[in-house]
Amino acid sequence: MLKVFTRVSTISTITTLLLCLLLAASFASAASLAAEAIGEVVYMAGTVRAQQPNSTARDLDLESPIFPRDTVVTSRYSQVEIRFKDGTILAQGNDAEISLDDYVYSTDVSASKLLFKMSTGTFRVVTGEIVKLNPEAFILQTRFTTLGIRGTQPFIKIEEDASDMVGVIELTPGYTVSVTSARQTVSFDRAGLFTNINRDGEMSDPAPTPPAVQRAIQRAAPMTSLGELGARGSKDDMKRKVKTFEKHVEREKKGIGDHDGHGDDGHPDYGSIHHITVQQTGLKNAKDQKEGKSSAISDGSSSLGGDHPDDGHPDDGDDGHGDDHGDGGGGH
Amino acid sequence: MIFMFIKRFMGILLAMTFFAGCMAGQIAQRRGDKAYRANDYETAAQEYSEAATSGNRDAQYHLGAMYIEGQGVPKDLVKGADLLRQAAEQGQNDAQLMYGLLNIYGDGVPVDPEEGVRWLTTAANGGNDIAMYYLGTLYAMGLGVEKNILTALQWMEKAKDSGFPVKEELLTESGLSALYTE
């Protein structure tokens, strides 16, 4: 009897120990993941998931951390905006997928790097500190191209059975963006240009992005960080949007306080002060939108659902792909 | 009698012209807002310029800030400061803050910390938490005003209560004194 009791006791002790070890391991894993977070979700609507290479997946929400090697996937009627530690901002439209293969932001200039691979969907990027520290190591890849970026705001649109579309919404004066395929390189030296790249690596000559295309891209992947309101969404999405703008205002003000009210030149950061006004207007509009007031300005779109007809893509009629722009070998 | 009628008619006509001007300014300002949010800063500057000319204070503020930043227009601190002054004089709260700071640091206008503090106080009294924070730092430094840590503390507390994330060390007399020693 005593022997049986001792054996049960031993098994129980081992089980407890194993459980403790498992718990410790999971805490350690969570802690290490938290320490490794490279960014966070600053805005989202609909359903957005992040998946690690080992197939563990998690649903994202506002302020969810983003980890290296996450693949971020948006579903239909969904959008997400991620702010990375160096200030790089990524906006992603519906039915889109991006793999955050490599991201290091370090005081060691040569160690800082970023490699994101986009496989499908619409994306916009505002570059942050990494581009300034180590421009050669800031790389965005699509199926058919690699983008070299030097301080700018590019957009990328990738559709199945179509050419990749790459353009620039804003470009720091004196800088260029190079788009390189397997066959050629095209450079942009000013904002407002785009090129189409087909699967053979042929690229169209840079041409002005039609305003309707740019508007469609901005609606598909809104940058709330820049004060864009984006489309209306579900009740939960509207609540998230109000919170998004509250956080943007808070973040900007914190930035002013952290630097004792001064920019790099010892003078006030007038740009940040102006940006707070823009974000406060965004907050007011988001609140109006949530309450269904007609004064809300929705940047030309009525709703997430309304923006996305049957194929889930906004304004496909004038999106720069296909017959409307048969320019320069960007064949499908 | 006819004279009275003409006088009234002219008055109504003037009021209507003024109202139409305001409406046109507001419409141009809204177009400017939309273009600004779409990152189309050149169009935004054109729209704001049209609205600012008709006296729209929000457009004057945005266009002034864009000149200060060189956003969509060539950087021009003097032009920016002039537009911000116009907006501030019309009671635009954010413009009062920014015009006050321009005076303190001599950006686009001659350095005049006292004038700067006057505008910041107007903005702060209008509820601007950023202006409250800057006033706190100015009283702690003794810039544009006589140094007064207690008043500095009061402005910091007001800024915090109004939503500005004031650092903890700036919410005590000793913290403020230590940070802003001569």
Side-chain angles (χ1 to χ4, degrees), chain B residues 133-152:
Chain B
Y133 168 78
Y134 273 106
L135 273 179
T137 62
L138 293 173
Y139 273 98
M141 286 190 285
L143 179 61
V145 284
E146 201 172 317
K147 184 169 177 150
N148 188 326
I149 294 294
L150 269 180
T151 310

Side-chain angles (χ1 to χ4, degrees), chain A residues 253 261-262 267 270 277 297, chain B residues 37-38 61 69 105 107 129 134:
Chain A
K253 286 181 179 174
H262 298 97
H267 288 233
Y270 299 112
T277 313
I297 301 162
Chain B
R37 275 199 310 278
Y61 164 68
E69 295 170 65
Y105 291 89
D107 291 327
D129 59 334
Y134 273 106

Side-chain angles (χ1 to χ4, degrees), chain A residues 258-328:
Chain A
D258 285 348
H259 295 94
D260 298 324
H262 298 97
D264 295 337
D265 58 358
H267 288 233
D269 186 349
Y270 299 112
S272 284
I273 292 169
H274 185 213
H275 199 56
I276 288 171
T277 313
V278 173
Q279 292 292 7
Q280 280 170 335
T281 307
L283 175 60
K284 184 187 171 299
N285 282 327
K287 282 179 177 170
D288 284 354
Q289 206 180 53
K290 180 171 154 264
E291 286 160 21
K293 288 186 187 168
S294 59
S295 61
I297 301 162
S298 62
D299 297 332
S301 56
S302 55
S303 69
L304 270 173
D307 245 357
H308 301 76
D310 294 337
D311 62 355
H313 286 81
D315 290 351
D316 277 352
D318 54 9
D319 63 1
H321 285 300
D323 297 334
D324 289 343
H325 303 272
D327 32 23

Side-chain angles (χ1 to χ4, degrees), chain A residues 17 71 96 145 149 180 220 328:
Chain A
L17 272 169
T71 295
T145 60
I149 295 172
T180 305

Side-chain angles (χ1 to χ4, degrees), chain B residues 30 43 63 91 127 130 153:
Chain B
R30 283 179 79 97
T43 305
L63 187 60
I130 306 172
L153 186 59

Side-chain angles (χ1 to χ4, degrees), chain A residues 29-252:
Chain A
S29 165
S32 96
L33 270 180
E36 287 170 10
I38 57 173
E40 69 167 351
V41 174
V42 292
Y43 165 66
M44 67 156 275
T47 306
V48 186
R49 304 202 87 195
Q51 191 168 325
Q52 278 283 300
N54 63 8
S55 293
T56 54
R58 58 193 196 280
D59 287 326
L60 298 180
D61 205 335
L62 275 187
E63 298 180 65
S64 289
I66 299 295
F67 299 109
R69 305 181 74 202
D70 267 344
T71 295
V72 180
V73 183
T74 45
S75 55
R76 207 175 184 195
Y77 308 146
S78 302
Q79 300 167 331
V80 67
E81 184 179 341
I82 297 164
R83 188 184 178 91
F84 294 90
K85 285 196 303 189
D86 71 310
T88 296
I89 303 165
L90 167 76
Q92 180 173 337
N94 62 294
D95 298 309
E97 186 173 319
I98 186 169
S99 171
L100 314 176
D101 279 13
D102 204 359
Y103 180 95
V104 177
Y105 177 45
S106 162
T107 46
D108 177 3
V109 171
S110 61
S112 291
K113 58 185 171 178
L114 180 151
L115 172 61
F116 293 169
K117 290 179 185 164
M118 303 163 201
S119 45
T120 185
T122 302
F123 303 89
R124 289 169 64 199
V125 175
V126 172
T127 55
E129 288 300 312
I130 290 178
V131 154
K132 293 178 197 162
L133 293 171
N134 197 6
E136 301 300 327
F138 187 100
I139 299 165
L140 300 177
Q141 281 184 354
T142 73
R143 296 171 302 179
F144 311 138
T145 60
T146 298
L147 275 75
I149 295 172
R150 309 285 179 274
T152 184
Q153 193 195 128
F155 71 81
I156 295 104
K157 185 169 185 180
I158 306 163
E159 288 180 300
E160 207 177 336
D161 301 328
S163 55
D164 289 356
M165 181 188 193
V166 175
V168 177
I169 292 177
E170 240 194 296
L171 184 60
T172 312
Y175 287 77
T176 57
V177 169
S178 62
V179 186
T180 305
S181 71
R183 293 177 71 147
Q184 64 185 107
T185 295
V186 160
S187 292
F188 301 130
D189 58 3
R190 61 189 166 91
L193 299 175
F194 82 102
T195 180
N196 279 328
I197 310 102
N198 71 11
R199 60 182 69 251
D200 297 325
E202 292 168 336
M203 299 165 78
S204 62
D205 291 334
T209 311
V213 174
Q214 185 163 316
R215 280 198 300 275
I217 283 164
Q218 287 176 314
R219 281 206 298 274
M223 285 262 182
T224 62
S225 298
L226 300 179
E228 292 172 19
L229 192 58
R232 292 171 197 271
S234 69
K235 212 173 169 182
D236 283 346
D237 290 336
M238 307 284 242
K239 279 185 194 167
R240 279 197 194 108
K241 197 179 283 184
V242 170
K243 198 175 170 192
T244 292
F245 280 101
E246 284 172 348
K247 286 277 169 193
H248 284 323
V249 171
E250 192 182 310
R251 195 177 296 115
E252 288 282 350

